[in-house]
Amino acid sequence: MTVSAPLRRSTRRVTAFALALLLGGASIVPAQARSAIDIAPHKATYRLTLDHARLQSGITDVSGQMTFSWNDACDGWTIDQRFQVRFSYAEGEDMNLITNYATWEAKDGSAYRFNVRKLVNGEVDEELSGGATLDGRDGGNVRYDKPESRTMPLKAGTMFPTAHTLRVLKQAGSQENLFSVPVFDGAEAEGASPVNTIVGKLRSPAAMKVKDADLLAAKAWQVSLAFFPINPGEPLPDYETNMVLQENGVVRSMLVDYGDFRVSMELETLEKAIKPPC
């Protein structure tokens, strides 16, 4: 089955948004008088389902699972992430998407490495790998090794995913609840995507049974993000997300709105990841 451009963009974004959000970081001191927060390295699985689809989308169902592992590597944070998603269509054909991510980000937010492999119906659809660096307010550069060897600049103010999550948590509970920055996660060959962020009110998620239930005791906030196309001429976001994010970095749930359809992500399993003796 040929994958249309809009659908290809949507399936790419199903993986990109989670990489940009489900990352932790070092201890930080958020706004106001809250004590320092330890982001918790963890392993989690999420169930993906179709929340709603308009008739013109052609989509009748979305189902799948994401497995996610975040670990402390002493000099940085490593992420291993795998998506398995099935898209069903009114025409009766399905598309199976498998995406694997492996990333490393320096704890000071200055360097990033990424390796991404995407399969559609069992065949390799796209591979991306390389590294990026940021130099304070001057921006930085990204070097792609795949799909081809090339470099491109990153604008001043660009952040890598962990640094972006830390800023979200830093501003949770403060009066400064809105900001916009480019975020580079390596999920696309075009560079960093502008992301608008709104940090909302405290939430009280329902209790659930998981292996390490104490990970769910942290405070949680409603966070909304809009991911815009890299092309500055596009006024509307590619997609928007609403998520419940805990102050220890655990995402409890997420709803992703692509316009024609919405995908829900719900936490199923959660356990602690072992911290190394750095």
Side-chain angles (χ1 to χ4, degrees), residues 14 17 22 53 88 110 123 160 188 197 200 224 228 233 246 271:
V14 166
F17 80 81
L22 295 177
S88 299
S110 65
E123 297 183 0
F160 297 134
E188 297 188 42
T197 302
S224 300
F228 286 83
Q246 297 186 171
E271 61 182 283

Side-chain angles (χ1 to χ4, degrees), residues 172-215:
S174 75
Q175 298 299 316
E176 300 177 5
N177 64 345
L178 171 65
F179 66 95
S180 180
V181 296
V183 176
F184 179 80
D185 59 17
E188 297 188 42
E190 291 82 11
S193 299
V195 179
N196 289 356
T197 302
I198 300 175
V199 185
K201 297 180 180 180
L202 276 170
R203 292 288 305 274
S204 299
M208 64 177 298
K209 293 183 179 180
V210 294
K211 180 177 181 181
D212 290 317
D214 57 319
L215 289 172

Side-chain angles (χ1 to χ4, degrees), residues 12 15-16 19 81 98-103 112-119 124-130 144 146-147 185-188:
R12 186 166 62 236
T15 55
L19 182 64
Q81 192 170 350
I98 296 176
T99 303
N100 293 286
Y101 280 89
T103 69
Y112 186 69
R113 297 194 296 269
F114 57 95
N115 197 314
V116 184
R117 193 168 190 259
K118 307 174 186 180
L119 293 87
V124 176
D125 180 66
E126 187 176 28
E127 290 185 283
L128 301 117
S129 66
Y144 287 96
K146 292 180 180 180
D185 59 17
E188 297 188 42

